[in-house]
Amino acid sequence: MRCAACGKTIPNDSNFCNYCGKPIANNINQVGVPQDCAWCSGRGKSSGFLIDPACPACGGKGSVLVVAPPKKCALCSGRGRKSGFLNDSPCPACNGTGWAHIIK
């Protein structure tokens, strides 16, 4: 079968794509576990300012729903940011949440 997200060929019994890491909806029982968002540290805002807009990674909720068992993003090690000193760009794999296999 093919992954709906990236189009690569994957084994028929796969729960996640071996290439992009996205869950295969037909094959997985997606039990969600809420986890704190890495981008905003669970605050729901991008920084500590009072007039700060909602966190772009979690939509202002402060948490994200993750497929159980929760696993930190392998690319950013759960930081939610690209590696580098004072880099304020979200990780392209987890979109800043810090978690792998987000349930949307």
Side-chain angles (χ1 to χ4, degrees), residues 38-92:
W39 189 263
C40 67
S41 301
R43 293 186 315 268
K45 296 186 175 188
S46 295
S47 68
F49 298 113
L50 292 175
I51 57 171
D52 196 28
C55 171
C58 67
K61 294 181 252 177
S63 66
V64 291
L65 204 54
V66 182
V67 173
K71 294 180 183 174
K72 293 195 181 221
C73 174
L75 187 62
C76 69
S77 301
R79 292 185 310 272
R81 288 167 166 70
K82 290 182 182 177
S83 61
F85 184 68
L86 295 177
N87 192 336
D88 210 24
S89 298
C91 170

Side-chain angles (χ1 to χ4, degrees), residues 5-54:
C6 71
K8 301 270 186 175
T9 302
I10 55 175
N12 288 335
D13 61 347
S14 297
N15 289 330
F16 296 95
C17 176
N18 298 338
Y19 300 95
C20 70
K22 299 286 184 187
I24 307 303
N26 296 343
N27 294 350
I28 191 166
N29 182 8
Q30 293 186 345
V31 177
V33 179
Q35 297 293 315
D36 282 348
C37 174
W39 189 263
C40 67
S41 301
R43 293 186 315 268
K45 296 186 175 188
S46 295
S47 68
F49 298 113
L50 292 175
I51 57 171
D52 196 28

